[in-house]
Amino acid sequence: MRSLIDIIDLSTKEIDGLIETANDIIDNPAKYSEKCKGKKLATLFFESSTRTRLSFEAAMMELGGNVIGFSNAGSSSAAKGESVSDTVRTVGCYADIIAMRHPKEGAPTIASMNTAVPLINAGDGGHNHPTQTLTDLLTIHREKGRFDNITVGLCGDLKFGRTVHSLIHALSRYKNVHFVLISPEELTVPEYIIHDILDKKGIKYTVTTSLEEVMPELDILYMTRVQKERFFNETDYVRLKDSYILNMEKLQNAKKDLCIMHPLPRVNEISIQVDKDPRACYFDQVLCGKYIRMALILNLLEVK
Ligand code: CP
């Protein structure tokens, strides 16, 4: 029985297969409407979420299945001191598949070893968020039709932004991807990503603090929120939170077919005026999240 903890659990062939299935679901939703009849998904969210939890639940419902779970740890027996292992072992008696978000890095790995059903990491601390990466890949594929030969700007909190780490992992498998890493000096990509992925694989990357300077080169601009919940002190957060605010003025030198992405939620990183620009893809990205999670549920439940 397989689980999905990290994007590196999936081969490139498996990622391509999930994207193909998601595109087929988009084109032929009726074909999939009863594929998970009689199956149950449990969503165990020990940390807040809008998109990930609700898209998982919508995904299972659109596959004809049912959903159980909790959206905050305080309403579960975790509040009485129950361990994550005991919680997932229990839930595995009621559900066919589990999607779990937890603030502690590594919690989904431990959980997956203690349940008999497939477990999907729906975000663990500042570590990994593999289904956001699959969402991002589907969005890029639908917008650009390829993963090769693209320049991807990653902007904002590249230190704590788990979606950025997983996306670098995934895109680094494809040919001629150039990463432009745009962040304040305090929020640069962790050294292990530079060393273990980019340098090791000989992937081209540029590090800068200036979004304006690199804007004309970008095919994709992936904006991120400064992760308030991961800061140790409020003063640093307040100083850094508005480092990059994308507005129409900053887009003046951007490519006409730039694809602007954001995993959301946004706080101030993208002005609402940008929402009307045809290059704004972040709400299409939200919708892609539901379809790719449908494809993933089918895959992990081995539904043909
Ligand atoms: N993108 C994302 O993970 O959003 P939520 O925190 O709302 O689930």
Side-chain angles (χ1 to χ4, degrees):
M1 192 64 67
R2 283 192 61 186
S3 288
L4 178 64
I5 304 300
D6 190 321
I7 197 69
I8 61 173
D9 297 342
L10 295 172
S11 67
T12 306
K13 193 172 165 204
E14 285 171 316
I15 290 177
D16 292 345
L18 288 171
I19 286 173
E20 194 181 321
T21 303
N23 279 322
D24 195 51
I25 294 169
I26 292 168
D27 292 341
N28 307 288
K31 200 169 111 185
Y32 292 88
S33 64
E34 298 207 341
K35 291 278 185 193
C36 285
K37 203 170 174 184
K39 304 272 188 200
K40 285 195 282 294
L41 164 77
T43 51
L44 312 185
F45 276 63
F46 295 86
E47 194 182 58
S48 61
S49 166
T50 296
R51 276 145 293 274
T52 310
R53 184 174 65 83
L54 297 179
S55 65
F56 264 117
E57 296 185 356
M60 191 49 149
M61 287 175 192
E62 291 194 22
L63 292 168
N66 292 302
V67 177
I68 58 173
F70 54 81
S71 58
N72 100 54
S75 67
S76 77
S77 285
K80 300 175 201 160
E82 185 169 61
S83 68
V84 167
S85 301
D86 284 358
T87 301
V88 295
R89 189 166 178 178
T90 301
V91 174
C93 300
Y94 310 141
D96 301 283
I97 186 165
I98 297 172
M100 184 183 117
R101 172 171 285 189
H102 200 283
K104 282 209 180 111
E105 300 181 1
T109 307
I110 303 293
S112 69
M113 295 171 189
N114 286 283
T115 182
V117 301
L119 186 137
I120 304 168
N121 178 5
D124 61 330
H127 197 216
N128 274 310
H129 193 353
T131 61
Q132 181 64 47
T133 307
L134 291 171
T135 299
D136 300 340
L137 291 174
L138 178 60
T139 309
I140 293 171
H141 195 264
R142 290 186 70 79
E143 292 297 324
K144 295 285 171 199
R146 67 182 196 280
F147 297 126
D148 298 330
N149 304 311
I150 47 172
T151 298
V152 183
L154 301 164
C155 179
D157 183 351
L158 308 188
K159 179 178 181 184
F160 296 116
R162 59 191 170 198
T163 63
V164 165
H165 306 165
S166 297
L167 188 57
I168 292 174
H169 259 294
L171 284 175
S172 66
R173 302 161 182 222
Y174 297 92
K175 286 196 196 104
N176 198 24
V177 177
H178 173 199
F179 292 103
V180 183
L181 307 172
I182 311 147
S183 74
E185 276 166 19
E186 294 96 324
L187 297 178
T188 52
V189 167
E191 189 50 38
Y192 80 91
I193 297 219
I194 300 278
H195 182 261
D196 295 351
I197 304 174
L198 300 177
D199 285 344
K200 202 168 187 174
K201 292 186 173 180
I203 293 163
K204 187 175 169 194
Y205 66 93
T206 306
V207 177
T208 180
T209 55
S210 170
L211 174 58
E212 286 87 335
E213 272 177 24
V214 295
M215 185 68 91
E217 302 169 32
L218 307 178
D219 299 307
I220 309 278
L221 172 58
Y222 192 98
M223 298 296 294
T224 62
R225 175 178 66 91
V226 174
Q227 306 268 306
K228 182 179 184 183
E229 62 277 32
R230 318 256 178 248
F231 273 75
F232 291 113
N233 71 70
E234 179 84 9
T235 316
D236 283 349
Y237 169 70
V238 169
R239 183 167 53 80
L240 295 168
K241 71 184 172 64
D242 292 330
S243 299
Y244 302 98
I245 300 175
L246 184 66
N247 54 27
M248 291 311 295
E249 197 187 331
K250 287 191 184 137
L251 282 169
Q252 270 176 3
N253 294 327
K255 287 187 181 172
K256 294 278 173 281
D257 64 347
L258 172 70
C259 167
I260 306 166
M261 299 173 66
H262 190 310
L264 304 180
R266 73 173 145 187
V267 183
N268 275 332
E269 308 81 51
I270 304 180
S271 139
I272 55 165
Q273 279 73 39
V274 177
D275 297 0
K276 297 190 209 89
D277 191 291
R279 293 169 289 188
C281 298
Y282 30 93
F283 286 104
D284 302 316
Q285 195 178 349
V286 168
L287 197 52
C288 282
K290 180 182 71 177
Y291 293 117
I292 200 75
R293 290 178 175 107
M294 289 172 79
L296 181 64
I297 290 169
L298 291 172
N299 179 294
L300 294 179
L301 289 178
E302 297 176 1
V303 176
K304 295 285 174 244

